[in-house]
Amino acid sequence: MIEHGGNLAAARARFGEPEGGWVDLSTGINSRGYPVPEVPEPAWHRLPEGDDGLLEAAAAYYGTPELLAVPGSEAAIQLLPRLRRAGRVAVLWPTYGEHAFRWAWAGHHVERVTAEELEAAAGRVDVLVVTNPNNPDGRRFAAEDLLAWHRRLAARGGWLIVDEAFADVAPEHSLAGTAGRAGLVVLRSPGKFFGLPGARVGFVAAEGAVREALAAELGPWPVAGPAREVVRRALEDRSWQEASRERLAANARRLGDLLERAGWASPGGTDLFRWVPGTEAAARHRLLAERGLWTRLFQEPAGLRIGLPGSEAGWARLEGVLAR
């Protein structure tokens, strides 16, 4: 199984329960997420229907009507490999581990490629998977490069899949608005920026044939009514979105400054996390964990992904450990 952030049960099993509880910095999820409103009773007592305004709100937010709501973008990551016969797949590495795992699980030949190898890979594989901004290093890819790779793939029936789970903090880099082209699949997740991972809602922006095939695999009512209601309101709340982007950008700079003063080089990341590579990653991970700060440790390449504390108490604890 692939290890993921947010696994506080593993933290407790290994290190116990620290005084003051755990500060979870392991996920890259907005710890001050969208305030969940009261959900109308019909959302609980009726099967969800497509006329509840969710897709219209998503179309306005993402800039395209070519959308399918799914139970978390993870569902699409698992199902997309089943829509193609076995072929050659290149996945940007390092990145979210489920991509390579799921394509290989479905019988495809998977190769992991570096950012510098993506252009060449686009000329020889059937499917190219890129996360933009990338997780965990935060690397961004220009839209013109991605679309050039897409054209090469689509010309021979291939796909470019762009996972934009962290694109809400940098919407100018998104390809969602160009969805509908044959061979282009864009995955979006309200879980990260909106801080709503428990709602298990995601969106696939793609041509109609791909959306129809995914819908057939998912069956009726894949997204729960209460989750649809909450995410619809979050997507429509532009004031909250603008304020959150400003706050996250300021806090990302604050975290970067703390790491720099501690001598922990952080060359990459997004406004939701910082990436701290280096062979000292395991020792640093343990140092923080022993003081109740849970981060995401990567073994290959070695590094830490450190999210933003959600409270001043969390900031104080992190700053105190780094200062020592």
Side-chain angles (χ1 to χ4, degrees):
M1 297 297 292
I2 304 296
E3 183 180 351
H4 299 289
N7 53 340
L8 286 181
R12 293 187 181 99
R14 183 177 176 189
F15 296 98
E17 185 69 20
E19 183 179 353
W22 284 95
V23 176
D24 188 5
L25 308 176
S26 68
T27 64
I29 293 171
N30 186 352
S31 56
R32 292 174 57 185
Y34 187 73
V36 177
E38 183 176 348
V39 176
E41 283 198 18
W44 293 101
H45 299 309
R46 291 182 55 82
L47 289 170
E49 298 185 76
D51 61 352
D52 59 3
L54 174 63
L55 287 180
E56 289 77 9
Y61 180 79
Y62 295 120
T64 178
E66 309 285 344
L67 294 167
L68 175 70
V70 295
S73 57
E74 178 63 36
I77 291 170
Q78 293 182 27
L79 291 175
L80 284 168
R82 292 160 54 177
L83 303 186
R84 295 185 63 98
R85 61 185 179 186
R88 299 164 299 170
V89 179
V91 178
L92 171 66
W93 196 258
T95 197
Y96 181 55
E98 291 285 344
H99 286 295
F101 176 75
R102 292 299 171 183
W103 283 94
W105 182 267
H108 299 265
H109 173 74
V110 176
E111 57 177 301
R112 299 174 176 180
V113 297
T114 66
E116 293 71 25
E117 295 170 326
L118 287 171
E119 183 174 2
R124 68 173 184 271
V125 300
D126 304 301
V127 177
L128 181 63
V129 182
V130 181
T131 303
N132 190 40
N134 192 34
N135 169 26
D137 59 18
R139 183 159 183 168
R140 291 171 172 81
F141 299 91
E144 55 266 29
D145 291 335
L146 292 166
L147 291 175
W149 301 338
H150 160 256
R151 287 192 293 270
R152 297 177 68 190
L153 287 153
R156 55 181 191 275
W159 284 358
L160 172 68
I161 299 176
V162 185
D163 183 348
E164 295 186 347
F166 291 97
D168 298 86
V169 295
E172 66 276 11
H173 294 281
S174 174
L175 286 189
T178 67
R181 308 181 187 200
L184 177 62
V185 180
V186 180
L187 308 179
R188 296 300 298 254
S189 170
K192 303 295 191 297
F193 170 69
F194 290 97
L196 295 170
R200 306 311 304 139
V201 179
F203 295 94
V204 178
E207 62 182 303
V210 172
R211 301 199 314 272
E212 290 169 9
L214 284 172
E217 290 282 348
L218 289 167
W221 320 297
V223 180
R228 294 175 68 97
E229 174 69 16
V230 171
V231 170
R232 177 186 66 79
R233 296 196 193 186
L235 293 173
E236 291 175 341
D237 195 337
R238 298 307 171 91
S239 296
W240 182 90
Q241 294 162 20
E242 292 173 7
S244 293
R245 288 193 182 98
E246 292 178 3
R247 175 180 54 80
L248 290 170
N251 284 342
R253 290 191 295 270
R254 180 180 179 181
L255 177 57
D257 290 342
L258 285 179
L259 294 169
E260 182 178 356
R261 289 200 297 270
W264 292 21
S266 176
T270 71
D271 284 349
L272 283 165
F273 62 83
R274 298 302 306 172
W275 170 241
V276 183
T279 56
E280 309 92 339
R284 289 171 170 173
H285 175 72
R286 183 179 183 87
L287 169 73
L288 295 171
E290 289 173 342
R291 290 154 179 82
L293 297 157
W294 190 238
T295 57
R296 175 71 167 89
L297 174 64
F298 288 79
Q299 303 285 358
E300 183 188 349
L304 287 184
R305 187 184 65 200
I306 305 177
L308 305 176
S311 67
E312 282 303 317
W315 279 105
R317 196 188 302 185
L318 177 61
E319 186 170 5
V321 173
L322 290 177
R324 292 195 296 272

